[in-house]
Every structure is written in C-alpha cells, then in structure tokens.
Amino acid sequence: MDTTNGGYSKLAAEYNGHLRGGELGKCGKDLFIMAAHLREEGHRVDELKALMLSFFFDLNGVNSGPAINRSTAKRAADAFGASGLDRHEMEELYIETIRGDTVPKPIMSVKDSLYVFEVCLEGKTEEADEMLARFMEAQAEEYVGKLKGECPD
C-alpha cells in the first residue's frame, strides 16, 4: 500500500495508539474509517483487509459484546466484489490477516470466524446472527460445565 494521504496517516497513528493502549473497540472503529480512505484511493484489497479486522474485532466482542456489524459486512462484500479476488484468495487473505492472537481470548477461532464472514459476504447477516447466537450459547454451556466440574480444561 502506497498511500500518502495525510488523513489516512493520522488515522493509522490513532489506530496504533489505540492498539498499544489495548483499546480494541476503538481499533475496530479506526479500521472501519481507514477502510473508507483506502477505498477512496482505490486500494480495494487493503480496504478489504481493514474491514476483515474490524469485523473480527466486532465478532469477538471487543466493543460491546459479540456482534455482526452489518455496515462492516456490507462494505466488506462490496470491497470483495471490487477487489478482483476469487473466493479462495479471499479466504487466504483472511487467514493471513486475522491471527489467533489478534484479540486476547478470542471467542471464536479464525476458521470459524471466516465461515461467519463468508456468510455475511453473501448478504445473509440474519443467518450469521443466528450462528453467532448458537456459538455463544455453546460457549456459555461449556463455561457453566467447567464451573460445575463437568468438563475438563
């Protein structure tokens, strides 16, 4: 990415400050705004990467609890369509961009989150919401089981 936009540089500096400070909710918002700048500059793959990260942050509840951000999903679908990437390339990009340690104690694996992301790219955000709800219910049951000593660590 070869961007010289001063607004983008300022946003990137704010993102890095929030990241160093552990303010991941703000990081997700920063990435969403940075993606708009990347779109304006024609960097659609980089826009998609920023939206992937923002999506993963929201999905893992770093802002106000796990959620599917519909605005991010819609913009990611648009960026994916304009990126020229095929499905396999997009999946590889997601796996390269999102790491297991992207957020502390992620609620969902990178591969699981990729599946939810792909469902959202197809415009099926209600289905993705249902998937997230089922996943959260399963995690809650597992947690309760651990508290009761029913599940090994």
Side-chain angles (χ1 to χ4, degrees):
M1 172 177 26
D2 180 27
T3 180
T4 56
N5 185 324
Y8 180 86
S9 297
K10 182 181 178 201
L11 286 169
E14 289 175 7
Y15 166 78
N16 287 326
H18 292 145
L19 187 61
R20 282 192 299 277
E23 299 176 278
L24 298 181
K26 290 181 180 179
C27 287
K29 291 176 183 176
D30 293 338
L31 287 161
F32 186 81
I33 296 167
M34 290 166 66
H37 283 268
L38 292 165
R39 178 188 179 128
E40 289 173 13
E41 294 176 2
H43 299 288
R44 301 309 296 267
V45 173
D46 291 321
E47 173 195 10
L48 181 59
K49 287 169 64 173
L51 292 168
M52 287 172 168
L53 282 163
S54 182
F55 180 86
F56 188 75
F57 285 151
D58 287 334
L59 191 64
N60 279 281
V62 299
N63 196 24
S64 62
I68 305 293
N69 185 314
R70 283 169 165 60
S71 296
T72 302
K74 184 176 184 209
R75 285 184 45 198
D78 182 58
F80 173 53
S83 71
L85 299 175
D86 65 28
R87 190 73 157 198
H88 180 71
E89 291 169 322
M90 181 278 298
E91 290 171 351
E92 286 181 352
L93 182 67
Y94 191 93
I95 299 294
E96 291 170 2
T97 302
I98 310 298
R99 310 262 177 180
D101 63 352
T102 297
V103 298
K105 298 182 181 181
I107 62 162
M108 191 175 286
S109 73
V110 175
K111 290 213 179 228
D112 288 339
S113 71
L114 170 59
Y115 183 71
V116 175
F117 184 73
E118 289 177 312
V119 169
C120 288
L121 290 182
E122 296 170 3
K124 301 176 182 176
T125 53
E126 288 181 18
E127 185 178 323
D129 281 333
E130 292 170 10
M131 292 167 54
L132 179 58
R134 286 191 307 268
F135 189 87
M136 294 305 301
E137 287 171 13
Q139 284 223 327
E141 288 174 13
E142 181 180 327
Y143 179 73
V144 169
K146 284 182 180 181
L147 288 176
K148 292 179 177 180
E150 295 172 0
C151 298
D153 284 332

